[in-house]
Amino acid sequence: MQIFLWILIFFGTFAIMEFNAWFTHKYIMHGFLWSLHKDHHHKDHKSWFERNDAFFIFYAVISMTCFYLWSYEDVWYCLPLGLGILAYGIAYFTVHDIFIHQRFKIFRNANNWYAKGVRRAHKMHHKHLGKEDGECFGMLVVPFKYFKK
């Protein structure tokens, strides 16, 4: 029974993280912390790093706290929680930073329907250079219209 709950918590956490990413992106990154996110929309710097990269720290700290609570305080459900957050972070980094923005030159030739839809949605997001009037704030789940030809 505990393994079923463990799996449910892991996948539930992963799914909830997509909502958290959308919410954080729309209301925090394009809101009161636009000063950290705007360099992601305006490439006015020569560095490989962006101020926007600081956002990963928030969820990394939460994930590490979960691992600590599981390991030292014996809170069993914190392991699948921490792993779900970590797995989403890896997926986000792979899709957003590697596949879409090509920070590492791999996955360049991915051309299936899902890859094309995610790429289109993100391109529409980046056509807005300011913090207002944005669209497509999610990462792994995007509106169906971007999957149409």
Side-chain angles (χ1 to χ4, degrees):
M1 181 65 171
Q2 189 170 355
I3 191 70
F4 174 75
L5 285 175
W6 195 98
I7 292 169
L8 186 67
I9 291 169
F10 172 82
F11 285 110
T13 300
F14 187 93
I16 289 168
M17 285 302 296
E18 175 67 10
F19 170 77
N20 284 339
W22 172 86
F23 182 88
T24 302
H25 193 183
K26 183 170 181 154
Y27 294 107
I28 297 174
M29 293 178 178
H30 281 255
F32 67 93
L33 287 181
W34 173 250
S35 61
L36 290 177
H37 186 60
K38 72 179 173 183
D39 70 339
H40 184 62
H41 286 263
H42 297 277
K43 297 294 182 193
D44 59 354
H45 55 86
K46 291 185 173 42
S47 174
W48 186 80
F49 291 101
E50 301 173 345
R51 288 182 301 276
N52 182 66
D53 294 332
F55 285 107
F56 92 91
I57 295 169
F58 175 75
Y59 289 112
V61 167
I62 293 172
S63 184
M64 290 186 295
T65 300
C66 287
F67 295 140
Y68 172 84
L69 291 171
W70 166 72
S71 183
Y72 294 104
E73 303 297 327
D74 201 30
V75 183
W76 72 267
Y77 56 85
C78 283
L79 179 60
L81 277 172
L83 288 173
I85 295 168
L86 173 64
Y88 185 83
I90 292 168
Y92 189 97
F93 178 77
T94 302
V95 170
H96 182 262
D97 290 330
I98 296 176
F99 173 66
I100 292 174
H101 288 290
Q102 289 291 302
R103 287 177 96 172
F104 299 100
K105 306 300 181 201
I106 56 177
F107 304 130
R108 296 180 121 177
N109 298 323
N111 261 344
N112 64 56
W113 69 273
Y114 178 75
K116 287 178 181 178
V118 168
R119 228 189 249 132
R120 279 186 204 115
H122 203 73
K123 187 172 188 161
M124 291 307 293
H125 175 73
H126 276 272
K127 84 173 188 174
H128 303 283
L129 298 178
K131 73 180 202 174
E132 291 86 18
D133 300 323
E135 59 183 289
C136 298
F137 293 95
M139 178 51 52
L140 302 177
V141 178
V142 297
F144 184 71
K145 68 182 181 180
Y146 295 106
F147 297 107
K148 297 177 183 174
K149 292 189 177 203

